[in-house]
Amino acid sequence: MSIILHQGAFDPWLNLQQHQKEHLKTGAYGATASFVGTMRDFNQGEGVNSMTLEHYPGMTERELAKILTEATEKWTLLTGLIEHRVGEIQVGEPIVLVCVWSSHRKEAFEACRFLMEELKTRAPFWKKEVLLSESERWIDKNSDGY
Amino acid sequence: MSIAVKFFASLSETINLSEAHVTYQAEMTVERVWQLATGQQPRLNNTLAALNMEYVGFDQTVSDGDEVAFFPPVTGG
């Protein structure tokens, strides 16, 4: 299980492959489920230029670790990976990667969804957008994931 | 010793405070830490609190040397 916070841009697909190579034996896993969240150029009806992600160093990592541990208690997983950006983010850049590996698809699908929804409601991150109009605004709540 | 207090995101901007220290008192609650650290500033109902990086309610008591944080609802992912 791994948790990584990135100060700069990261490649979720490359990191996913690397984690798989380093933590899993060929033949041991039958299902890989992943979610990648990417920064849009629009939100709540307005054009967005860039975004800053603030976090609580220490607590953010701890909360993500707790969420991963809870997933391993609910489902039989081989390994899991959460990566998340902090700092200034540009349109089109990945914000978050959640990926889990298991023997069968049920566990992988359900655990991936669980991890993402728990992350959105519990992990201390806060988004501040810079709009095309150059005004700034804090995002005060997440969009509904269901 | 004292209680270290941190504020994050929009909450920090609203009250114009990112860090504070308050002197520990016996049976001190997280609510009391808020009052002393902010000078009794009003608190939004959706404000969240953490004690030593774990979510807690505002009636939770603190210990000398603890770290208390206050922040708005989280919006990561």
Side-chain angles (χ1 to χ4, degrees):
Chain A
M1 301 289 171
S2 299
I3 290 157
I4 303 171
L5 299 183
H6 296 281
Q7 292 285 344
F10 73 105
D11 183 338
W13 313 113
L14 183 66
N15 296 359
L16 185 160
Q17 284 184 313
Q18 279 181 347
H19 184 91
Q20 186 169 281
K21 276 185 196 162
E22 289 170 10
H23 293 87
L24 290 154
K25 276 183 10 189
T26 302
Y29 58 96
T32 308
S34 64
F35 176 88
V36 174
T38 303
M39 189 184 159
R40 297 184 306 264
D41 64 0
F42 64 93
N43 192 30
Q44 298 173 1
E46 298 207 56
V48 182
N49 193 38
S50 64
M51 182 169 76
T52 302
L53 257 163
E54 185 174 335
H55 75 298
Y56 182 177
M59 182 172 174
T60 303
E61 294 90 333
R62 282 175 64 152
E63 201 62 26
L64 292 175
K66 282 168 66 176
I67 293 167
L68 258 179
T69 299
E70 288 173 24
T72 61
E73 290 166 356
K74 284 174 176 280
W75 294 280
T76 304
L77 303 176
L78 297 167
T79 185
L81 172 64
I82 299 178
E83 302 194 14
H84 206 291
R85 275 291 296 278
V86 294
E88 189 175 335
I89 302 176
Q90 303 300 319
V91 167
E93 291 182 348
I95 301 169
V96 60
L97 162 67
V98 168
C99 191
V100 290
W101 288 260
S102 59
S103 298
H104 302 284
R105 69 185 183 283
K106 181 178 190 295
E107 289 82 1
F109 272 132
E110 291 180 3
C112 187
R113 186 62 188 265
F114 168 85
L115 287 170
M116 195 56 217
E117 297 304 327
E118 293 298 304
L119 180 157
K120 300 267 308 179
T121 53
R122 292 166 51 184
F125 293 104
W126 302 276
K127 289 174 179 160
K128 188 181 198 182
E129 293 177 334
V130 179
L131 304 178
L132 292 179
S133 62
E134 296 189 355
S135 62
E136 295 182 345
R137 68 176 177 192
W138 287 98
I139 302 301
D140 57 3
K141 63 177 181 180
N142 285 319
S143 56
D144 187 5
Y146 288 94
Chain B
M1 295 283 276
S2 63
I3 307 294
V5 190
K6 295 184 173 184
F7 305 91
F8 291 94
S10 57
L11 170 64
S12 173
E13 288 189 2
T14 301
I15 63 172
N16 197 27
L17 203 57
S18 59
E19 287 188 346
H21 283 85
V22 299
T23 303
Y24 173 73
Q25 302 166 350
E27 298 180 19
M28 192 177 211
T29 63
V30 168
E31 180 72 55
R32 185 66 182 145
V33 171
W34 168 274
Q35 291 170 353
L36 291 173
T38 66
Q40 310 263 20
Q41 290 204 51
R43 171 168 65 75
L44 289 175
N45 285 336
N46 64 4
T47 300
L48 300 171
L51 174 61
N52 298 327
M53 301 187 182
E54 299 275 350
Y55 284 105
V56 292
F58 281 78
D59 57 353
Q60 173 73 43
T61 54
V62 303
S63 301
D64 201 4
D66 280 350
E67 177 175 293
V68 176
F70 298 101
F71 44 82
V74 302
T75 56

